[in-house]
Amino acid sequence: MVVMRRRTGLAGARKAAGHTQESLAAALHIDRSTVIRWEAGEHAPLPYLRPRLARLLGQPPDQLRALIGDDPGARPQLEPLNGDV
Protein backbone atom coordinates (compact mmCIF):
# COMPACT_ATOMS: atom_id res chain seq x y z
CA MET A 1 0.00 0.00 0.00
CA VAL A 2 1.42 3.38 -0.99
CA VAL A 3 1.06 5.99 1.74
CA MET A 4 -0.46 9.24 0.46
CA ARG A 5 -0.66 12.45 2.41
CA ARG A 6 -2.77 15.47 1.58
CA ARG A 7 -0.73 18.50 0.68
CA THR A 8 -2.56 21.15 2.66
CA GLY A 9 0.52 23.38 2.50
CA LEU A 10 0.43 23.35 -1.29
CA ALA A 11 -3.26 24.26 -1.28
CA GLY A 12 -2.58 27.01 1.28
CA ALA A 13 0.26 28.45 -0.83
CA ARG A 14 -2.03 28.42 -3.88
CA LYS A 15 -4.74 30.30 -2.01
CA ALA A 16 -2.24 32.75 -0.49
CA ALA A 17 -0.97 33.52 -4.00
CA GLY A 18 -4.56 34.35 -5.00
CA HIS A 19 -5.11 31.36 -7.27
CA THR A 20 -8.03 29.02 -7.53
CA GLN A 21 -7.38 25.50 -8.76
CA GLU A 22 -8.75 26.62 -12.12
CA SER A 23 -6.58 29.74 -12.42
CA LEU A 24 -3.41 27.89 -11.41
CA ALA A 25 -4.16 25.14 -13.91
CA ALA A 26 -4.78 27.69 -16.66
CA ALA A 27 -1.51 29.50 -15.91
CA LEU A 28 0.37 26.19 -16.15
CA HIS A 29 -1.59 25.00 -19.22
CA ILE A 30 -2.77 21.85 -17.44
CA ASP A 31 -6.13 20.46 -16.43
CA ARG A 32 -7.71 21.43 -13.10
CA SER A 33 -7.89 17.75 -12.15
CA THR A 34 -4.09 17.69 -12.17
CA VAL A 35 -3.97 20.41 -9.50
CA ILE A 36 -6.58 18.47 -7.51
CA ARG A 37 -4.39 15.34 -7.66
CA TRP A 38 -1.32 17.30 -6.53
CA GLU A 39 -3.17 18.70 -3.53
CA ALA A 40 -4.67 15.31 -2.69
CA GLY A 41 -1.19 13.80 -2.66
CA GLU A 42 -1.98 11.38 -5.49
CA HIS A 43 0.67 12.81 -7.83
CA ALA A 44 3.47 15.34 -7.72
CA PRO A 45 4.10 18.11 -10.23
CA LEU A 46 6.34 17.04 -13.09
CA PRO A 47 9.87 18.46 -12.87
CA TYR A 48 9.48 20.74 -15.90
CA LEU A 49 6.45 22.45 -14.26
CA ARG A 50 8.07 23.10 -10.90
CA PRO A 51 10.01 26.31 -11.68
CA ARG A 52 6.92 28.00 -13.08
CA LEU A 53 4.75 26.62 -10.27
CA ALA A 54 7.19 28.04 -7.71
CA ARG A 55 7.04 31.47 -9.39
CA LEU A 56 3.24 31.43 -9.57
CA LEU A 57 3.02 30.53 -5.88
CA GLY A 58 5.69 33.05 -4.91
CA GLN A 59 7.77 30.30 -3.32
CA PRO A 60 11.50 29.57 -3.64
CA PRO A 61 12.26 26.14 -5.15
CA ASP A 62 13.35 24.70 -1.79
CA GLN A 63 10.07 25.71 -0.18
CA LEU A 64 8.10 24.24 -3.09
CA ARG A 65 9.93 20.92 -2.62
CA ALA A 66 8.97 21.02 1.05
CA LEU A 67 5.32 21.73 0.18
CA ILE A 68 5.30 18.82 -2.24
CA GLY A 69 7.11 16.55 0.19
CA ASP A 70 9.69 15.83 -2.47
CA ASP A 71 12.60 13.94 -0.95
CA PRO A 72 14.85 12.54 -3.71
CA GLY A 73 16.04 9.70 -1.46
CA ALA A 74 12.57 8.66 -0.34
CA ARG A 75 10.81 5.64 -1.76
CA PRO A 76 7.09 4.90 -1.50
CA GLN A 77 6.30 2.67 1.44
CA LEU A 78 4.93 -0.60 0.16
CA GLU A 79 3.59 -3.53 2.13
CA PRO A 80 5.52 -6.77 1.52
CA LEU A 81 3.76 -9.41 -0.59
CA ASN A 82 3.02 -12.81 0.96
CA GLY A 83 4.76 -11.88 4.20
CA ASP A 84 8.12 -11.27 2.47
CA VAL A 85 10.41 -8.77 4.09
Side-chain angles (χ1 to χ4, degrees):
M1 160 192 252
V2 176
V3 177
M4 290 189 300
R5 188 181 60 164
R6 268 189 106 52
R7 294 186 181 113
T8 55
L10 183 60
R14 172 184 53 77
K15 292 173 186 175
H19 284 287
T20 63
Q21 290 173 334
E22 292 87 0
S23 69
L24 184 61
L28 292 168
H29 304 288
I30 59 173
D31 194 75
R32 176 179 160 256
S33 65
T34 302
V35 175
I36 292 169
R37 288 184 188 108
W38 293 347
E39 292 179 0
E42 295 174 15
H43 296 283
L46 293 173
Y48 78 92
L49 290 172
R50 293 178 186 195
R52 184 161 183 167
L53 177 59
R55 282 191 302 274
L56 288 168
L57 297 180
Q59 301 289 325
D62 290 341
Q63 181 61 30
L64 180 64
R65 280 193 294 276
L67 291 172
I68 295 169
D70 190 19
D71 181 0
R75 293 209 173 257
Q77 296 179 1
L78 303 175
E79 290 183 15
L81 297 175
N82 300 325
D84 295 339
V85 178

